[in-house]
Structures are given as C-alpha cells and as structure tokens.
Amino acid sequence: MTVISLECGSARPAPLRWLLWSALAAAAVAPWFAGPFVQHLAVLTCLNVLIVNGLALIARCGQLSLGHAAFVAVGAYGSVLAGRHLGLGFLPAALIGIALTALVALALGAVILRLKGVYFVLVTFAFGELLRLILLDGASWSGGANGIAGIEPAALAGLVFDSRARFYGLALLIALGSVALLSALARRPFGHAIDAVSENPALAESTGLSVRRIQLCAFVGGCALAAAGGALQARYVGYVSPESFNASISIGFIIMLVIGGRRSVWGGLIGAMVLTPLPELFRGAVQTQHIFYGAALILILRFLPVGLAGLPGPWQARRGQESQ
C-alpha cells in the first residue's frame, strides 16, 4: 500500500531551503513596517491560511467540500452570539463557536460521508446554501440580510487587538500554528491513516482501519479550523452577514487549495499568499479576475498538478539531470 506524505517532493537542496525560509520570514515581518492597507491584506491572508488548511485536512481523505464557508459562518455567528448573549470574552466565545461547529460537522458528516465524489460535493453545497437561507430568515437573532454590526475587537490577557498591526500578530501566530498542526499530523499514525484512506479506502479497510471514523475525524477537524477562522474574521471586520459566506467564497477556498497544493502542508499558506491580494489588483475588473483564476487553474492542473508547493521538486529534478 502506498502512503503519500503530507509533505510534497523530496528533500530540497540546502540553499533553496534556506532561500524559501528567508522569503517566508521576510514576508511575515514586512507587514509591520508597511502601511495599513498592506497590513489589512496580511490579516486576510492569515485568516485564509487557517480556513484553507481546514479544507486541506478534509481533502486529504479524498472529499471536496463546496460548503466550507458555511462552517466559517457557524464559527463566526456562534462566537459573536455567545459573546453577546452570554457575556463571554473573545476566547471563551470563540471556543463555543468552534465547539458548535464541530458538533454540526459531526452530525452532518455522520450522514454525508457515506456519499462519494460529486454527490458529496453537491450535498455540502446544499448545506451551505441552506445555512445561508436560515441566517437570512433569522432576523431576530442573526440580523437577517443586515447581519450583525458593531462586534467588539478581540481581547486576550488584557491586550485589545484593536489595530491592524496587533491583529496581524494574532492572526499570524494562529495561521502558523495551523501549518505546524498539519506538519505534525503528517508524522503521526493518524496522518498516515488519512493518507492510506485517500490512496485506497478499500485496502485501508482491509488492514483494519476504520475508514468512516478517520474521514469523520478529518471532516470535524477541518471544519473546526474553518470555525476558528470565522471567529477571528468576525472580530477583525466587526461585522458578519450571510452574504459573506456564500458558495463563491467556498469556491475561492478550493481554488487557493488547488493552486497552492492540496497534498502539501504548505499548500494553504502558498495559495492564500498568492490569491488573497489578487482581487485588489483586479479591483473594478471582476470579469478579468475570474478569467485569471480560470486560466491559473487550467495551467496548474495541466503542468503542475501538485500545485505551487511542488515547484521545488521539478526544479531539483532538472538540476540533477543537468549535473549528470
């Protein structure tokens, strides 16, 4: 049985590895010395990294969710409502939002994980649209189409994250934590079990692995990461509405994952770093943005199926061939 690691490619050459680490460190530090607009994009990138990493965990089991934004919404609304109606601070309210999302994902996953391929995609899409309609109709508690405004900024240990620079530090720490979580998972037996289920579910079942249980755990874990991103997003923007979590948002997360590399722990990070700032480049030209996304997807799927995270692998292979 072939087990595919969450890490992509073989060992990278030391100079290239240090170059990549230096570039990532520079990209992480630069926003603190930039203007408010760059800091805003940096915060959004970190939030997307967290959310897309959750989608990556689900995709590892061979499933693709077209309703991922719905779980971001459950985390966002759950944390905001818990904070307002129960008088809780940011962290307890966020934990309630994440726990509520995990329960919803557990109940939904127990039913829909029996479905495969396009049927699973369609049901997750239907769930996302159903949740959006529930939020639109629940004006008494969700604000309906107007959403909920005036959400208090995040505060931890007496520190209020009421500026973009401060919130970027918090978002960066949590986003990198999600990358570290996927990296650690890749080296654990459960991570290998996920890979085995993704490669050949029938063979994995024959070896004694509980395919359904592994898929359910990955689904719940991925949705919980999305909920954490939603709780942070609500506190950063200060506003939530149903239209902030529609199907097009879920498609955007899928595009980030595919372009970054769905089989690499760095896929979500790279995809979010590349695609989050792009809408600003196409401001006022939405059709051009969609054309670019479509062309990028076609090129990635055709020439680099493992995503941008796999670029060092082909580079190293070409270098080895030239040295022979």
Side-chain angles (χ1 to χ4, degrees):
M1 176 176 59
T2 303
V3 176
I4 303 175
S5 172
L6 285 168
E7 297 286 353
C8 66
S10 55
R12 297 180 175 86
L16 178 60
R17 184 171 62 249
W18 284 110
L19 179 63
L20 291 174
W21 279 110
S22 300
L24 287 174
V29 173
W32 276 301
F33 301 95
F37 179 68
V38 174
Q39 291 175 354
H40 172 66
L41 289 180
V43 171
L44 295 182
T45 299
C46 291
L47 297 180
N48 285 337
V49 169
L50 180 59
I51 295 169
V52 175
N53 278 342
L55 183 61
L57 187 56
I58 298 172
R60 290 301 305 172
C61 282
Q63 304 283 29
L64 190 61
S65 173
L66 198 55
H68 200 58
F71 299 102
V72 182
V74 176
Y77 274 92
S79 64
V80 170
L81 293 175
R84 290 198 168 184
H85 295 292
L86 300 179
L88 300 176
F90 164 66
L91 184 58
L95 291 176
I96 288 180
I98 294 171
L100 176 62
T101 306
L103 288 175
V104 172
L106 182 63
L108 182 67
V111 177
I112 69 172
L113 284 173
R114 299 175 182 273
L115 304 174
K116 303 297 181 184
V118 67
Y119 301 104
F120 181 88
V121 174
L122 290 176
V123 171
T124 54
F125 170 78
F127 170 75
E129 288 301 294
L130 176 62
L131 179 66
R132 187 176 66 86
L133 292 176
I134 291 174
L135 294 175
L136 284 172
D137 292 336
S140 60
W141 56 273
S142 68
N146 295 323
I148 302 175
I151 301 172
E152 300 80 6
L156 286 172
L159 179 61
V160 180
F161 298 90
D162 53 357
S163 68
R164 290 177 177 175
R166 285 184 177 182
F167 201 95
Y168 170 63
L170 175 64
L172 177 64
L173 181 64
I174 297 176
L176 293 179
S178 70
V179 176
L181 176 65
L182 291 185
S183 180
L185 183 63
R187 299 187 295 270
R188 297 295 188 274
F190 182 71
H192 297 313
I194 289 178
D195 290 328
V197 169
S198 174
E199 182 73 9
N200 193 324
L203 184 58
E205 188 81 42
S206 69
T207 63
L209 294 176
S210 176
V211 172
R212 191 67 49 77
R213 183 179 300 174
I214 292 169
Q215 289 177 331
L216 186 59
C217 289
F219 185 72
V220 172
C223 293
L225 286 178
L232 286 170
Q233 178 180 319
R235 297 289 180 158
Y236 174 66
V237 179
Y239 172 75
V240 290
S241 73
E243 293 307 318
S244 300
F245 310 102
N246 55 38
S248 64
I249 303 298
S250 294
I251 293 173
F253 295 145
I254 292 174
I255 293 175
M256 289 182 188
L257 179 61
V258 173
I259 289 181
R262 68 183 186 90
R263 305 196 75 84
S264 170
V265 297
W266 300 100
L269 176 65
I270 295 173
M273 288 181 64
V274 170
L275 294 184
T276 301
L278 278 181
E280 300 303 324
L281 300 179
F282 295 106
R283 184 180 292 273
V286 178
Q287 295 301 325
T288 304
Q289 176 186 340
H290 292 164
I291 292 172
F292 177 86
Y293 280 1
L297 270 178
I298 292 172
L299 292 174
I300 289 292
L301 292 174
R302 172 62 181 84
F303 298 105
L304 198 64
V306 295
L308 294 177
L311 278 175
W315 180 87
Q316 183 182 3
R318 289 194 300 268
R319 184 183 181 187
Q321 291 173 358
E322 292 173 356
S323 63
Q324 291 177 356

